[in-house]
Amino acid sequence: MYEADDKMISLIRDNYDLLQMLGSFGISLGFGDKTVEETCKDNDVDTYTFLAVVNFTINGYGDADNDEQLSVPTLMHYLEASHAYYLDFQLPFIRRELEESLNPDDSLGQLILRFYDEYAHEIKRHMQYEQKTLFPYVQSLIEGRPMADYNIETFSRHHGAADKKLRELKLLIIKYLPGDGLHNNKLTATLHDIYDNEEWLRQHAMVEDHIFVPAIRRLEQLARQNDVTRNITGMVFKNGEGMNPDALSDREKDVIIALVQGMSNKEIADHLCISINTVITHRRNIARKLQIHSPAGLTIYAIVNGLIDISSVKL
């Protein structure tokens, strides 16, 4: 497992495939003998998230389901840049290689090109869906305004493998396109690049499924918890005055604490050394100020405003 104080050059020397990953994270070459942490800081990349993706991709290491330290913005930037790399560079690059390695007069070769174009269209559709639907949804979660009509499970259920056609293309070339001389060499080189792209797509999908999706589930859970808190606050404090505990006198706060602890009016009067009529008056004023009439509502008020600790409440 690679760590923050390892030299970045050591990672690249051991795993040359990481070169493309560096670009997707926005890490520039020319980092000399700097550590992973130093290099990430120089490029404004979250070190922990970078290492999580690297170690998972190389070694399958990591417990992303319970990893709360991952930076979702860093992950999203990495995935968006990876999409741009594949759509804008890799797909056209393989297409040019195929054109150069196939005989223009060979009808079977033209069918191979058509098959590749269908594959490229499928990949574009798959990645553009994420760009237009998934990533804006994640950004809304980051900004604390989740969309009500979408969730990460919707994406996860339909996130199938997008590299089936690539595997089929590779087999078609191997089985049915024998070449000779220059064409054979070019076909071999193209096949090698197709194999590399197949592995890249597999790793890309694994990062999405096993790191990105669990991280978004945690964001969704946090958003739901925040919604519950806001809803409770909105129900309990309708007029804004109740949001401020200073709107109550110290004696009224004492009465609330006693009520939450389950005391009767007589017990409160004895406890505070006041009359029962005074207790009733305080309760009436509390209800008027807070617009809260139930013991449960007063309990929530007392917890939210720090009058009592939740651990002391019998639920």
Side-chain angles (χ1 to χ4, degrees):
M1 183 180 74
Y2 293 103
E3 298 181 350
D5 57 356
D6 288 330
K7 300 289 187 181
M8 181 65 85
I9 189 64
S10 298
L11 272 68
I12 305 304
R13 186 171 55 239
D14 296 343
N15 311 275
Y16 73 89
D17 289 340
L18 293 181
L19 283 170
Q20 187 278 321
M21 185 180 291
L22 291 182
S24 292
F25 272 107
I27 296 177
S28 302
L29 300 179
F31 38 73
D33 288 321
K34 291 181 179 179
T35 65
V36 171
E37 184 172 22
E38 290 169 338
T39 306
C40 286
K41 285 184 177 179
D42 287 347
N43 292 272
D44 296 321
V45 174
D46 182 72
T47 305
Y48 185 89
T49 305
F50 171 77
L51 282 171
V53 174
V54 166
N55 285 316
F56 179 81
T57 301
I58 295 173
N59 304 312
Y61 175 85
D63 185 13
D65 287 333
N66 301 304
D67 199 336
E68 298 180 358
Q69 299 183 59
L70 290 169
S71 167
V72 173
T74 298
L75 283 173
M76 193 160 68
H77 177 272
Y78 164 75
L79 293 175
E80 287 180 312
S82 295
H83 287 182
Y85 162 79
Y86 200 79
L87 295 178
D88 299 339
F89 176 75
Q90 277 302 116
L91 284 179
F93 178 77
I94 296 293
R95 180 65 159 76
R96 288 194 299 272
E97 281 193 312
L98 279 173
E99 285 181 312
E100 293 174 359
S101 59
L102 295 174
N103 186 337
D105 299 324
D106 185 357
S107 57
L108 186 56
Q110 297 309 307
L111 287 174
I112 292 289
L113 278 177
R114 185 188 302 175
F115 188 93
Y116 178 81
D117 289 339
E118 291 176 359
Y119 155 75
H121 176 75
E122 183 177 325
I123 287 291
K124 287 178 181 178
R125 182 175 57 82
H126 174 87
M127 291 186 174
Q128 286 172 353
Y129 165 80
E130 294 182 18
Q131 295 289 141
K132 294 178 180 179
T133 305
L134 175 63
F135 294 154
Y137 167 71
V138 173
Q139 187 61 41
S140 74
L141 283 175
I142 294 172
E143 296 172 0
R145 47 176 186 82
M147 303 174 185
D149 57 347
Y150 192 80
N151 58 55
I152 195 62
E153 294 307 323
T154 301
F155 165 77
S156 187
R157 283 195 301 269
H158 299 91
H159 187 226
D163 59 345
K164 292 180 181 178
K165 282 186 177 292
L166 192 62
R167 289 197 297 270
E168 195 171 340
L169 173 68
K170 175 188 63 182
L171 293 176
L172 286 172
I173 292 175
I174 293 172
K175 288 183 177 181
Y176 303 115
L177 278 181
D180 56 83
L182 180 61
H183 281 118
N184 188 68
N185 291 336
K186 287 184 176 180
L187 267 177
T188 300
T190 302
L191 277 170
H192 184 275
D193 288 337
I194 291 174
Y195 270 99
D196 282 346
N197 276 269
E198 185 180 8
E199 176 62 17
W200 183 93
L201 279 173
R202 186 190 69 81
Q203 292 179 350
H204 179 80
M206 292 284 285
V207 169
E208 287 187 326
D209 288 339
H210 296 280
I211 296 182
F212 189 61
V213 169
I216 305 312
R217 286 197 184 105
R218 287 192 298 274
L219 267 187
E220 289 178 335
Q221 184 178 15
L222 181 60
R224 286 193 294 269
Q225 290 172 346
N226 290 339
D227 280 343
V228 170
T229 301
R230 284 192 294 269
N231 290 339
I232 290 176
T233 301
M235 287 187 292
V236 175
F237 311 115
K238 294 180 180 178
N239 61 3
E241 182 182 11
M243 292 296 290
N244 181 7
D246 294 334
L248 300 176
S249 68
D250 289 340
R251 181 60 78 192
E252 288 166 342
K253 294 176 186 177
D254 291 338
V255 171
I256 289 178
I257 294 171
L259 285 169
V260 170
Q261 292 174 342
M263 294 186 189
S264 65
N265 286 345
K266 184 178 185 309
E267 288 172 330
I268 295 173
D270 294 341
H271 175 67
L272 299 178
C273 299
I274 57 179
S275 69
I276 293 179
N277 286 336
T278 302
V279 173
I280 294 172
T281 299
H282 282 319
R283 292 188 65 171
R284 186 180 300 118
N285 291 337
I286 290 167
R288 176 180 56 80
K289 289 181 178 182
L290 302 183
Q291 294 297 300
I292 301 173
H293 304 274
S294 68
L298 288 174
T299 300
I300 294 173
Y301 174 88
I303 293 171
V304 170
N305 287 288
L307 299 183
I308 60 169
D309 188 271
I310 193 171
S311 62
S312 66
V313 178
K314 295 181 180 179
L315 302 175

